[in-house]
Amino acid sequence: MHDPEKGLLIVISGPSGVGKGTICRELFNKYDDIIYSVSTTTRKPRPGEVEGKHYFFTTEEEFQKLIAQDAFLEWAQVYGNYYGTPRQYVEEILQAGKDCILEIDIQGALQVKQKMPEGIFIFVVPPSLQELIRRITCRGTEDPSEIEKRMSQVSEEMSHLQDYDYIVVNDEVPSAVEQVRAIIVAERCRSSRMCKLINMEV
Amino acid sequence: MHDPEKGLLIVISGPSGVGKGTICRELFNKYDDIIYSVSTTTRKPRPGEVEGKHYFFTTEEEFQKLIAQDAFLEWAQVYGNYYGTPRQYVEEILQAGKDCILEIDIQGALQVKQKMPEGIFIFVVPPSLQELIRRITCRGTEDPSEIEKRMSQVSEEMSHLQDYDYIVVNDEVPSAVEQVRAIIVAERCRSSRMCKLINMEV
């Protein structure tokens, strides 16, 4: 059960290239009442990147130590570099009563769900998902093994959909941003959350 | 379980005088993708009131027959006139895949919840509720039996809060309208609804 004093953890995920990053940037530009999680990485800082703003930079040795301490809500290795979401950093934001957004891939989101199931999980899907399925199943010209492979990929994506609370179709970015915003505003109005806040005041 | 092909039933309720009507009128003016339920009444039409737009007008005899047929989602007698929400009218809107709003008092909302628990129930509270409680409990000057009576009234209202899915504080009307709108948009994005819609397409 979600502690009503704590902020909301909002996890935005979906297939790569679906536009998660664009949606989050727009949210960030438009609304200043949500905090965006900063990842820890072993990647070297690029020019202009600021410690604690863009990333928490660390060594591979330190990162391995943090994994052993279960200090990440999720972590992954990408092209030889490690990336992780520091659990304590996120916890401190939520304990301060502020809402925190994580933008992560499907595997990362599943890891976070195991550690913080009280989070609000939003899956962003491309507008062409239905069209993609139709094409795969309707076109007779393609190699059957290729169809099968792509169908199983789509089916694998579908199976993850049900682990999420909400699905946002990224048809047009402004509309997708407003849907994510609406989900956050609505979740703040949940009676399970509000009742306790009101009772605490009594 | 909500049938994803059907529209959403949105019930807006709360203490009388809290501003439910104003919120619904603003929603109606601003967004044209929701249908407002029309009540059946035995009250005589006032000048300018149109059958099927403002009310379905009927006789008391006919109204009693409809009660006996369980044709209302909720009904009540107010100052000698009967008012009710016609079940079939609402069902037809939802079956057409359109979202329908009911604006009703607390007793009516509880009746609707028994008949259509899949609805989305929103309770509008005045901004002064917490302040009211604080006053009742902190002031020492008032008659103890009066304090008790008012506390039990507030407590009775509190107990209803938990039957609702969402609580909207009507502090400023535009903000309350946007919160109700956000709840509707968010509910449309629920994965339990969207997954089935997507699967139906496959």
Side-chain angles (χ1 to χ4, degrees), chain A residues 62 95 100 150 154:
Chain A
E62 183 59 26
Q95 289 293 350
C100 180
R150 281 167 62 185
V154 171

Side-chain angles (χ1 to χ4, degrees), chain A residues 164-201:
Chain A
Y164 288 76
D165 302 301
Y166 297 97
I167 296 170
V168 167
V169 179
N170 189 15
D171 198 346
E172 305 203 355
V173 173
S175 161
V177 168
E178 287 320 303
Q179 285 175 60
V180 172
R181 177 67 187 175
I183 290 165
I184 296 168
V185 171
E187 284 289 340
R188 289 177 181 161
C189 294
R190 283 220 159 267
S191 60
S192 53
R193 188 177 163 80
M194 290 286 287
C195 279
K196 284 179 194 163
L197 281 173
I198 290 170
N199 286 334
M200 283 188 305
E201 290 282 324

Side-chain angles (χ1 to χ4, degrees), chain A residues 37-52:
Chain A
S37 173
V38 175
S39 295
T40 301
T41 186
T42 60
R43 173 164 80 54
K44 295 279 165 289
R46 290 176 190 152
E49 283 186 342
V50 177
E51 163 75 15

Side-chain angles (χ1 to χ4, degrees), chain A residues 125 129-130 133-134 137 151 158 161-169 178-179 181-192 194-195 197-199 201-202, chain B residues 125 129-130 133-134 137 151 158 161-169 178-179 181-192 194-195 197-199 201-202:
Chain A
V125 295
L129 187 61
Q130 293 174 29
I133 298 163
R134 199 171 297 122
T137 51
M151 272 304 279
M158 289 298 192
L161 286 182
Q162 296 175 8
D163 295 327
Y164 288 76
D165 302 301
Y166 297 97
I167 296 170
V168 167
V169 179
E178 287 320 303
Q179 285 175 60
R181 177 67 187 175
I183 290 165
I184 296 168
V185 171
E187 284 289 340
R188 289 177 181 161
C189 294
R190 283 220 159 267
S191 60
S192 53
M194 290 286 287
C195 279
L197 281 173
I198 290 170
N199 286 334
E201 290 282 324
V202 180
Chain B
V125 295
L129 188 60
Q130 292 174 30
I133 297 162
R134 201 170 296 124
T137 51
M151 272 305 281
M158 290 299 192
L161 286 182
Q162 296 176 9
D163 295 328
Y164 288 75
D165 302 303
Y166 296 98
I167 295 170
V168 168
V169 179
E178 287 320 303
Q179 285 175 60
R181 177 67 186 175
I183 291 165
I184 296 167
V185 171
E187 284 290 337
R188 288 176 181 162
C189 293
R190 283 217 159 268
S191 60
S192 52
M194 289 286 288
C195 279
L197 280 173
I198 290 170
N199 284 334
E201 290 283 325
V202 180

Side-chain angles (χ1 to χ4, degrees), chain B residues 39-45 51-52 55-67 72 80-84 86:
Chain B
S39 295
T40 302
T41 186
T42 59
R43 172 164 81 54
K44 295 279 164 292
E51 163 76 15
Y55 285 101
F56 297 113
F57 296 100
T58 190
T59 62
E60 191 170 324
E61 193 190 345
E62 183 59 26
F63 200 100
Q64 293 289 359
K65 229 184 267 176
L66 291 169
I67 293 175
F72 294 116
N81 293 310
Y82 288 88
Y83 297 84

Side-chain angles (χ1 to χ4, degrees), chain B residues 11-129:
Chain B
V11 178
I12 299 190
S13 189
S16 88
V18 77
K20 302 185 289 287
T22 310
I23 292 171
C24 287
R25 262 193 306 281
E26 291 290 311
L27 272 174
F28 179 76
N29 289 338
K30 226 174 146 181
Y31 304 103
D32 59 5
D33 57 356
I34 311 162
I35 294 181
Y36 292 75
S37 172
V38 175
S39 295
T40 302
T41 186
T42 59
R43 172 164 81 54
K44 295 279 164 292
R46 290 178 189 150
E49 283 186 341
V50 176
E51 163 76 15
K53 184 182 171 190
H54 298 97
Y55 285 101
F56 297 113
F57 296 100
T58 190
T59 62
E60 191 170 324
E61 193 190 345
E62 183 59 26
F63 200 100
Q64 293 289 359
K65 229 184 267 176
L66 291 169
I67 293 175
Q69 291 165 6
D70 196 24
F72 294 116
L73 285 179
E74 55 85 33
W75 65 270
Q77 196 183 7
V78 183
Y79 300 123
N81 293 310
Y82 288 88
Y83 297 84
T85 302
R87 184 201 285 258
Q88 197 187 338
Y89 173 78
V90 171
E91 274 290 0
E92 281 169 8
I93 293 169
L94 301 178
Q95 289 293 350
K98 288 174 185 156
D99 301 337
C100 180
I101 282 199
L102 303 188
E103 177 217 328
I104 40 179
D105 64 16
I106 296 173
Q107 285 310 313
L110 294 174
Q111 289 181 51
V112 175
K113 180 142 192 183
Q114 287 182 332
K115 297 194 176 172
M116 297 184 88
E118 72 275 24
I120 295 145
F121 292 79
I122 302 173
F123 198 96
V124 182
V125 295
S128 55
L129 188 60

